[in-house]
Amino acid sequence: MSFFKYIQVIGSKRLSVAPQLFRVFSNSLKNCMQTSCGIQSFLPELRSSSTCRSFSISAPRNYEVAVNHNPKDHGSESDLKQEAVDIFKTAIRAVRPKVMIEKVLQYNRITSTLNVEEKSYKINRNVFVVGFGEAVLGMARAVEDVLGDNLVNGIVSIPQGMQEEMKSNELAREMFLSPTSKIQVFEGTSKLAGDEPSHSAAKAIQSLISNLSETDLLIVVLSEGGTMLCPSPYPQITLEELFQVNQLLTRNGASKRELNIVCKNIEVLKGGGLAKHAEPAKVVSLILSSVIGDAVDLIASGPTYPNQPTPHHCVEILMRLHIWDKTPESIRKFLEKEIKQLNMEQNLTGHKSAQKKAQQDKILSNVQNVIVGNNSIACEAASNRAAELGYLPLVLTTELTGEAKALGYLYLKLAKFIMFCYDRRASWEPNPELTMLELELVASGIKKKWINYIANSVDKAHNMNKDICIIAGGDTVVHVSGSGQGGKCMESALAAAIQMHEEFREKKLNVSESDMCFLMGDSDGHDGVTKMAGAIIDQEFLDKVQESGLDMKKYLSNNDSFTFFNNVNNGKNLICTNLTGTDIMNMLVILVRQPKDVKYQYSTS
């Protein structure tokens, strides 16, 4: 048998060859040939070498298609888009309020004791509930179910029209309050602070909690949208002015973190204000996280987390976004006054600062903040569902950030990278196109360790005859410059479609095209100001775009992603879930199917 033929046999049976034999053969290969870095990275013991990694994606692997261990029948392949939506919806179901709250609240009816993680509370018809956010209706219902008649009174503020829209939700029964509930529901807007119903809810909450005693227990339920659904500007600032600054921040690319920093400095009930007004009652705050890193002081602008005001940080944000001069005068004067006050305190002996810290510590001693659900839980559920469907799932991050359209461009290139890894050829020469793509991904923000992880996982997926599922969660921003209608998720999907057209229609790739799809969805069910959760695109969608004659770049530049998706393919690429009753930021799902053709056949000719 010739030397190269022997290579072919060993390569095709790589999974079944004993590791010792493969190492012996690998060492022989190194000793017999003057190899490039790309060839050395073919050897398992050298794959971790950082000096070789950039070329390993073009190295030879198995030369024959592995035995099909994939539970999916590739003779009649399922629809990628349907499976991506299935994975997305499974993630949302995993963070529904009932499941999360019942894991945290443990009520012992015999001893009349409520256990919340490591703390216990004596219960005797002394429980009050307040909350604001897009998921608090179901959270309040779960609290009501656990504590029953011990609940005295309550107020929650939820998005306008939510109860009507959620009637069609498959989990609606566990989301709605009971007909005899003692909890009052206010409905207002969750997109921009400034409407009267939300303000009325804030005033009602403030009135309720200000009359609690030391024997009372206040349970606070918080989620995404809480900042906007409980507007409580300081008296110097009007509701309309609060609306204006929130609109300025949102339209000029402020992150959710930055928006909440500003709000917690200019509102009465934010930045620990709610906990302060609830003294001397005990407070248990149950929080569904929608902030990167689960920062309790920022979720819903931290109403139950007393902390030092940071007005100077607010000014820095407003100036960096070039909106300081556009910010209402009352807010500018308020922040400047707060900065002056802090500077005066710092110039004193420190007695006043120590006094303020002692006050904050006292409030915190009565407060228990608990994260009941977050993006990580949802991504794990998505990963498990993808595995059930026969994919090799890779959860890249739960802290996805950045400009929405930039993310669409970048992650479509990542899908192309996976396609290249599946399709790399049995050649002793590095693939410069693939190497350049890897360098471009790293330069654009994809971490090098992710690139290594993905490339090695594609090797694994190929040997198992599985397709790849990329999962990521987080929150993006949009700099609004146009007059269109859309949302962050649809904007990412439209940008991905533009990039897909460039890669697969304008360029002539040196590989066989793999089937793939890109989904971006908002877990609350409403992306931006629309009633769609997001959008999904694939290569077939590009054909529909061509038939429509619409200019994708024009719609993207006008921030009109919803209109575009609504006008292409009869709107079938829009994702509709209705309001879900939960919110853990946005989710990205990318599916890349391995090539159908038989590849990796070595030839000496």
Side-chain angles (χ1 to χ4, degrees):
M1 181 181 296
S2 70
F3 180 70
F4 284 102
K5 185 66 175 175
Y6 188 58
I7 293 177
Q8 181 181 358
V9 172
I10 292 295
S12 65
K13 298 182 179 179
R14 183 167 159 191
L15 286 176
S16 59
V17 173
Q20 297 87 345
L21 176 59
F22 190 72
R23 279 196 292 272
V24 170
F25 177 71
S26 299
N27 289 330
S28 299
L29 228 175
K30 286 190 289 184
N31 294 332
C32 291
M33 302 182 65
Q34 294 292 325
T35 60
S36 69
C37 185
I39 292 299
Q40 288 178 351
S41 64
F42 168 56
L43 308 176
E45 64 268 30
L46 294 178
R47 281 196 172 175
S48 61
S49 171
S50 60
T51 60
C52 295
R53 178 61 251 174
S54 63
F55 289 98
S56 63
I57 51 180
S58 59
R61 308 180 300 149
N62 299 349
Y63 297 93
E64 295 177 3
V65 176
V67 177
N68 188 355
H69 298 293
N70 192 336
K72 288 186 285 190
D73 178 8
H74 282 272
S76 56
E77 289 176 335
S78 54
D79 189 307
L80 284 181
K81 296 191 294 296
Q82 290 181 1
E83 292 186 332
V85 172
D86 184 350
I87 292 167
F88 172 62
K89 290 184 176 181
T90 299
I92 293 172
R93 286 194 293 270
V95 286
R96 64 187 191 271
K98 179 178 176 63
V99 173
M100 295 181 297
I101 297 296
E102 290 182 350
K103 285 182 179 179
V104 174
L105 296 185
Q106 303 295 322
Y107 177 52
N108 188 323
R109 296 184 181 279
I110 298 176
T111 61
S112 296
T113 302
L114 178 66
N115 297 311
V116 185
E117 293 187 336
E118 75 283 358
K119 291 191 176 183
S120 297
Y121 302 90
K122 202 66 178 177
I123 301 299
N124 183 22
R125 300 180 185 274
N126 60 338
V127 180
F128 297 79
V129 175
V130 298
F132 31 96
E134 295 172 351
V136 301
L137 185 65
M139 295 171 78
R141 167 62 189 270
V143 172
E144 189 176 56
D145 288 345
V146 171
L147 295 176
D149 293 338
N150 288 295
L151 184 60
V152 179
N153 197 359
I155 298 169
V156 293
S157 179
I158 65 173
Q160 188 175 22
M162 181 176 185
Q163 295 181 93
E164 181 64 29
E165 186 175 334
M166 282 187 60
K167 286 180 180 179
S168 59
N169 190 303
E170 60 187 86
L171 301 172
R173 284 179 297 177
E174 66 183 44
M175 298 282 191
F176 285 95
L177 297 172
S178 65
T180 58
S181 177
K182 300 173 182 176
I183 300 174
Q184 184 180 1
V185 178
F186 286 78
E187 288 195 3
T189 179
S190 64
K191 297 306 177 185
L192 287 173
D195 75 324
E196 286 297 337
S198 295
H199 194 208
S200 296
K203 290 185 286 188
I205 288 172
Q206 185 173 344
S207 175
L208 186 154
I209 64 177
S210 297
N211 293 303
L212 299 180
S213 71
E214 60 183 5
T215 61
D216 292 326
L217 173 64
L218 175 66
I219 295 182
V220 183
V221 288
L222 301 171
S223 74
E224 165 64 11
T227 295
M228 306 305 176
L229 285 164
C230 189
S232 54
Y234 278 101
Q236 302 94 318
I237 303 168
T238 68
L239 191 63
E240 177 61 26
E241 288 166 339
L242 180 63
F243 169 83
Q244 290 175 19
V245 74
N246 276 282
Q247 189 176 48
L248 280 170
L249 287 162
T250 302
R251 293 181 66 87
N252 286 277
S255 68
K256 191 176 295 181
R257 176 181 293 269
E258 291 169 334
L259 179 65
N260 290 345
I261 286 173
V262 173
C263 288
K264 76 176 186 177
N265 278 275
I266 63 176
E267 294 191 47
V268 175
L269 293 179
K270 309 296 170 60
L274 191 150
K276 181 179 179 180
H277 279 79
E279 278 195 298
K282 295 286 192 299
V283 178
V284 174
S285 188
L286 306 177
I287 304 166
L288 179 59
S289 175
S290 58
V291 171
I292 300 293
D294 298 341
V296 175
D297 63 318
L298 292 177
I299 300 168
S301 299
T304 56
Y305 193 88
N307 57 2
Q308 183 75 7
T310 55
H312 53 282
H313 196 174
C314 298
V315 174
E316 185 274 326
I317 292 170
L318 294 168
M319 285 188 169
R320 176 165 44 80
L321 296 175
H322 307 292
I323 56 176
W324 172 253
D325 292 337
K326 300 176 183 178
T327 300
E329 184 179 3
S330 64
I331 295 177
R332 284 186 279 133
K333 286 185 175 181
F334 179 84
L335 292 173
E336 289 169 345
K337 180 182 177 181
E338 289 293 302
I339 291 173
K340 185 178 180 180
Q341 180 67 30
L342 285 175
N343 289 339
M344 288 177 58
E345 291 178 7
Q346 291 173 359
N347 291 331
L348 297 175
T349 60
H351 173 71
K352 194 167 185 179
S353 295
Q355 195 176 46
K356 184 174 286 188
K357 185 178 184 305
Q359 183 184 29
Q360 289 177 345
D361 291 343
K362 180 184 176 183
I363 297 172
L364 274 173
S365 66
N366 280 337
V367 178
Q368 183 183 10
N369 289 298
V370 182
I371 298 291
V372 298
N374 55 21
N375 198 271
S376 298
I377 296 172
C379 286
E380 182 181 0
S383 177
N384 292 338
R385 180 55 181 157
E388 290 174 0
L389 292 172
Y391 291 91
L392 180 64
L394 310 177
V395 178
L396 291 191
T397 180
T398 59
E399 299 184 354
L400 195 64
T401 58
E403 179 76 23
K405 61 183 178 182
L407 181 143
Y409 293 139
L410 180 60
Y411 274 78
L412 197 282
K413 290 182 181 180
L414 184 63
K416 175 188 173 184
F417 173 79
I418 295 170
M419 183 190 76
F420 265 76
C421 289
Y422 267 131
D423 198 76
R424 55 187 157 173
R425 298 175 178 188
S427 168
W428 297 116
E429 297 298 326
N431 183 330
E433 188 176 6
L434 198 51
T435 301
M436 289 302 296
L437 176 58
E438 178 177 353
L439 294 174
E440 184 180 348
L441 288 171
V442 173
S444 299
I446 299 290
K447 296 179 181 179
K448 186 66 166 66
K449 64 180 181 180
W450 292 0
I451 296 292
N452 295 347
Y453 172 54
I454 292 168
N456 290 332
S457 295
V458 175
D459 281 345
K460 179 180 177 182
H462 177 268
N463 288 332
M464 299 171 68
N465 199 25
K466 286 180 177 288
D467 303 327
I468 289 285
C469 174
I470 296 291
I471 298 166
D475 191 37
T476 60
V477 298
V478 171
H479 288 81
V480 180
S481 57
S483 58
Q485 186 179 14
K488 294 181 288 187
C489 296
M490 285 181 282
E491 186 140 321
S492 290
L494 179 52
I498 292 171
Q499 190 66 38
M500 182 179 283
H501 181 270
E502 179 182 334
E503 301 293 349
F504 298 152
R505 295 294 183 267
E506 295 180 6
K507 294 181 180 179
K508 292 183 179 180
L509 299 177
N510 193 30
V511 292
S512 296
E513 187 175 317
S514 300
D515 291 335
M516 63 178 67
C517 72
F518 175 106
L519 178 152
M520 193 75 180
D522 194 326
S523 58
D524 73 350
H526 282 186
D527 184 25
V529 296
T530 76
K531 291 191 175 183
M532 295 295 158
I536 185 169
I537 60 109
D538 59 0
Q539 290 99 319
E540 182 183 357
F541 180 71
L542 299 183
D543 299 329
K544 299 296 182 182
V545 172
Q546 187 173 1
E547 292 174 9
S548 72
L550 299 178
D551 185 342
M552 290 189 284
K553 293 181 180 179
K554 180 179 178 181
Y555 280 87
L556 182 61
S557 65
N558 193 36
N559 302 113
D560 204 13
S561 52
F562 169 75
T563 304
F564 177 81
F565 280 107
N566 198 42
N567 290 337
V568 176
N569 197 23
N570 297 317
K572 293 179 182 177
N573 290 77
L574 288 167
I575 301 170
C576 181
T577 62
N578 294 321
L579 285 170
T580 62
T582 190
D583 197 331
I584 41 80
M585 298 185 283
N586 305 326
M587 287 204 66
L588 168 71
V589 178
I590 298 175
L591 302 182
V592 183
R593 185 169 282 158
Q594 62 178 322
K596 303 169 190 172
D597 300 335
V598 176
K599 292 183 173 61
Y600 319 119
Q601 297 294 335
Y602 185 81
S603 173
T604 58
S605 59

